[in-house]
Amino acid sequence: MTFTAPIQLPGLALDTQWYKRAVFYEVMVRSFYDSNADGSGDFAGLISKLDYLQWLGIDALWIPPFYNSPLRDGGYDVADFSSVLPEFGTLDEFKELVTKAHERNMRIVIDYPLNHTSDQHEWFQQSRQDPEGPYGDFYVWSDTDEKYPNIRIIFVDTEDSNWAFDPVRRQYYFHRFFSHQPDLNFENPAVREATLNVVRHWMDLGVDGIRLDAIPYLFESEEGNGEGEPKTHEFLKEIRAMVDRDYPGRVLIAEANQWPSEVVEFFGTEDEPECHMAFDFPVMPRIFYALRSQNASELVRVLSETHEVPSAAAWGVFLRNHDELTLEMVSEEYRQAMYGWYAYDPRMRSNVGIRRRLAPLLDNSRAELELAHALLFSLEGSPFLYYGDEIGMGDNIWLPDRDASRTPMQWTPDRNAGFSSADPGKLYLPVVQSLAYNYTSINVEAQLAQSRSLLNWVRNVIHVRKGHPTFGLGTLRVLETNHESVLAFVREYPGSSTQFGDSAETVLCVFSFAHSPVSARIDLTGFEGATAFDLFGGAEFPAVGADGTLSLTLGTQGFYWLHLGDAPRA
Ligand code: BGC
């Protein structure tokens, strides 16, 4: 498979707000390509697939943890923050990955689970053995398991307490996630210093950004619930100040599974910023809710909420990632409805969520896959794709926990889906062989050979998005419609605010969640007489009426991205 490089944007490297226009792609080193036939993906394999990612239109890779680890939580259980897992390659190969990505104008964002370590980490081993030693106070120790009663348990499927007894130190230690992942004690200045050193270590190696894993949970207090405590925000400001001072242009991305009003706190303020980006957890499940309920009102509601954020702040929007599709940010009523629609087999559930991939969730419906991606690529914020979703990969719910959707990337119809030439039994996880998603039919090679494949469609939509800076830089305003299944918003960008000389633009985005065709009237007051042109084919649509409304007919689960031109603005 060979891929020709798209035209490069000159001077991209100088753009300090690159992340606002970037299309991100989450790729697990272990899952992408195995270069040495040991059954696990590696850095050399990922490097060899950069041409594919560039062809697809990816601007930045988000790489989940690749550090030394016993891999009991997919690598989020880190045993050493400064080295790489030998089965993935060497630190030099990681540096080569950064260089090779940069040569293609692609950025590298790594993932840093700073809240906790593996119990195999040297710090924990020393802490449990020597309470008076230099690491004695690196973790949150207690004589009882009763402290912090307000702090909820996150991994409800596996844990019944946030405390675990350590038979060596004969004390309890605190853990927000698995009991083999003790929480670091951020009250200890030495822990904070060690954290800043890890950030420096990787930024010195040239990474363009860091996803700050599980960021709300750093500090805990008797009064608080351990999520976004004031001291956590203070420390984040310190990390950001260091990054701005020593590594300008690099970004910090908050993983905070919280309500918008709480997540926005992780952006900080204009004067005292924290993270550049934060994932938008509330919008994601509402997309899935709208697809089945045929009702857009919950999406309309969350998208209409406005929040004051610093000018450099940007959302990260996503449909799926390496975790379960979390349902923490919806009401109990909606959660039950979504379990019924999307996780009818209890095996599909995990903690407070659903451990399935995008295509199986959407029952392999091409219309739904296109609608969901069209939303992903036009909402306010930068889209994050999950590896394999661009070809509609399936999952394997017979595998434990979130491994269900972490199986090898499917490249070809050959042995091991072209992922590895190892003995199939040696693979870190088996390739998907289910009836509907068998790798012999769902793979990159087959989809490249088919001009109307999902892969080619996704690539096209990415490139259309890239041609319109409005999607990355513009504002979003929800519009009123007369149909409950229809979501409409305008993205507006005044233009010329970057060195690229982009011009002003208004894009009208309309989506129908109805399971049959509909006609809807959209309130476009202020755009009376404006002409509408389709961003994909360029076709002219009826102009906005003198009464400020536009009537559109949408096919089943259809959508439009329309350029609005020559509007005599009120
Ligand atoms: C990651 C999970 C991980 C957890 C504990 C997260 O939020 O996304 O995959 O299990 O942090 O590190």
Side-chain angles (χ1 to χ4, degrees):
M1 280 175 265
T2 52
F3 300 94
T4 40
I7 301 158
Q8 311 277 341
L9 275 179
L12 194 63
L14 301 174
D15 182 7
T16 51
Q17 296 203 3
W18 59 269
Y19 52 91
K20 290 193 171 180
R21 297 170 68 140
V23 175
F24 289 78
Y25 186 95
E26 179 185 8
V27 53
M28 309 185 90
V29 177
R30 188 150 74 133
S31 313
F32 213 48
Y33 189 70
D34 172 15
S35 74
N36 60 356
D38 69 351
S40 165
D42 43 49
F43 291 127
L46 177 51
I47 292 169
S48 73
K49 295 298 184 186
L50 287 176
D51 285 344
Y52 165 74
L53 295 168
Q54 186 182 21
W55 169 86
L56 185 57
I58 302 304
D59 302 294
L61 305 184
W62 154 24
I63 310 180
F66 46 77
Y67 318 99
N68 253 305
S69 159
L71 297 184
R72 294 179 68 191
D73 181 18
Y76 284 86
D77 48 331
V78 179
D80 176 6
F81 288 114
S82 54
S83 61
V84 305
L85 193 68
E87 67 187 67
F88 292 169
T90 62
L91 201 56
D92 278 340
E93 284 172 307
F94 174 77
K95 287 192 231 167
E96 193 187 332
L97 170 67
V98 174
T99 307
K100 292 275 163 61
H102 286 174
E103 280 170 14
R104 291 168 172 79
N105 267 346
M106 228 182 262
R107 264 102 174 175
I108 298 287
V109 172
I110 61 164
D111 201 326
Y112 178 19
L114 64 168
N115 173 68
H116 46 263
T117 69
S118 157
D119 58 6
Q120 300 307 304
H121 197 292
E122 185 58 24
W123 296 343
F124 187 72
Q125 291 304 323
Q126 297 220 21
S127 195
R128 73 200 306 201
Q129 275 150 24
D130 186 5
E132 303 308 319
Y135 296 96
D137 202 21
F138 254 53
Y139 294 85
V140 184
W141 294 102
S142 166
D143 289 331
T144 76
D145 58 359
E146 276 149 28
K147 264 173 96 176
Y148 311 140
N150 306 333
I151 299 188
R152 74 187 167 103
I153 294 165
I154 297 174
F155 283 167
V156 287
D157 282 359
T158 39
E159 304 297 332
D160 51 20
S161 166
N162 285 325
W163 293 96
F165 185 71
D166 178 44
V168 177
R169 181 156 157 161
R170 303 208 60 76
Q171 271 190 312
Y172 293 91
Y173 61 87
F174 184 74
H175 60 89
R176 279 319 290 270
F177 295 94
F178 289 121
S179 58
H180 57 77
Q181 283 165 317
D183 270 40
L184 283 160
N185 174 19
F186 280 84
E187 298 284 355
N188 180 350
V191 167
R192 301 201 295 276
E193 190 51 40
T195 304
L196 293 173
N197 285 340
V198 173
V199 173
R200 284 194 197 102
H201 172 76
W202 292 102
M203 292 214 165
D204 285 341
L205 292 177
V207 305
D208 303 282
I210 300 186
R211 170 187 181 267
L212 299 173
D213 177 67
I215 198 63
Y217 314 120
L218 303 191
F219 283 83
E220 34 287 324
S221 71
E222 276 308 327
E223 329 67 62
N225 64 0
E227 309 202 0
E229 303 257 348
K231 285 181 175 175
T232 296
H233 288 289
E234 261 170 53
F235 182 51
L236 267 175
K237 291 187 169 84
E238 207 181 308
I239 302 180
R240 173 65 182 266
M242 179 187 82
V243 170
D244 281 353
R245 189 186 61 235
D246 298 338
Y247 307 98
R250 322 286 182 95
V251 302
L252 298 173
I253 307 177
E255 189 226 5
N257 188 356
Q258 294 185 310
W259 294 103
S261 57
E262 293 163 323
V263 179
V264 289
E265 305 254 308
F266 289 91
F267 288 128
T269 60
E270 205 70 61
D271 295 335
E272 288 187 300
E274 295 180 20
C275 292
H276 302 77
M277 300 185 78
F279 286 106
D280 194 334
F281 279 95
V283 161
M284 181 273 300
R286 286 170 176 78
I287 296 175
F288 290 95
Y289 185 84
L291 284 167
R292 285 289 174 277
S293 67
Q294 307 185 55
N295 189 316
S297 59
E298 267 291 294
L299 267 178
V300 167
R301 192 178 63 73
V302 286
L303 293 175
S304 305
E305 281 175 15
T306 50
H307 300 278
E308 216 32 49
V309 297
S311 53
W315 292 104
V317 282
F318 63 100
L319 296 168
R320 292 296 294 111
N321 60 25
H322 67 286
D323 283 328
E324 69 276 22
L325 188 171
T326 160
L327 297 177
E328 286 183 10
M329 290 305 122
V330 296
S331 67
E332 186 55 30
E333 183 193 337
Y334 278 50
R335 192 174 302 139
Q336 290 311 326
M338 290 179 72
Y339 277 141
W341 291 321
Y342 291 113
Y344 40 85
D345 182 334
R347 190 173 273 285
M348 296 169 174
R349 300 179 193 179
S350 170
N351 298 314
V352 187
I354 304 172
R355 55 190 200 102
R356 301 181 70 196
R357 262 195 184 264
L358 185 63
L361 280 165
L362 304 187
D363 211 11
N364 221 4
S365 151
R366 180 66 182 263
E368 289 190 5
L369 284 165
E370 291 189 7
L371 181 62
H373 278 101
L375 257 167
L376 175 75
F377 287 118
S378 59
L379 285 170
E380 199 171 10
S382 304
F384 281 70
L385 292 168
Y386 182 50
Y387 85 92
D389 282 348
E390 74 274 24
I391 55 169
M393 246 172 78
D395 50 33
N396 182 350
I397 56 166
W398 305 99
L399 294 173
D401 195 8
R402 292 153 292 166
D403 279 353
S405 47
R406 296 175 180 178
T407 60
M409 177 69 179
Q410 296 168 194
W411 295 102
T412 72
D414 306 327
R415 169 156 54 115
N416 300 327
F419 159 77
S420 167
S421 57
D423 184 305
K426 206 176 171 189
L427 295 196
Y428 75 95
L429 287 177
V431 293
V432 171
Q433 302 184 53
S434 64
L435 276 182
Y437 303 94
N438 197 294
Y439 69 90
T440 52
S441 50
I442 309 289
N443 62 71
V444 172
E445 192 177 44
Q447 295 204 12
L448 282 172
Q450 218 185 329
S451 64
R452 307 291 298 270
S453 63
L454 181 65
L455 176 61
N456 277 312
W457 186 88
V458 169
R459 178 180 187 252
N460 185 42
V461 86
I462 289 176
H463 285 83
V464 171
R465 176 191 158 95
K466 279 170 184 271
H468 300 272
T470 308
F471 287 118
L473 302 172
T475 57
L476 181 150
R477 186 160 52 88
V478 178
L479 303 171
E480 263 183 48
T481 82
N482 67 341
H483 201 297
E484 61 172 20
S485 298
V486 175
L487 166 69
F489 52 75
V490 275
R491 303 293 319 270
E492 290 176 280
Y493 175 56
S496 307
S497 70
T498 73
Q499 66 261 49
F500 309 114
D502 302 316
S503 50
E505 187 182 40
T506 302
V507 178
L508 168 65
C509 303
V510 187
F511 308 86
S512 170
F513 294 95
H515 295 179
S516 47
V518 298
S519 170
R521 203 166 57 245
I522 299 157
D523 181 355
L524 277 161
T525 306
F527 292 97
E528 293 80 2
T531 43
F533 295 91
D534 178 43
L535 284 200
F536 290 86
E540 184 169 350
F541 274 58
V544 179
D547 62 351
T549 66
L550 179 67
S551 290
L552 288 174
T553 303
L554 293 114
T556 302
Q557 296 173 317
F559 79 94
Y560 294 118
W561 285 359
L562 302 172
H563 170 89
L564 281 187
D566 307 313
R569 306 296 301 275

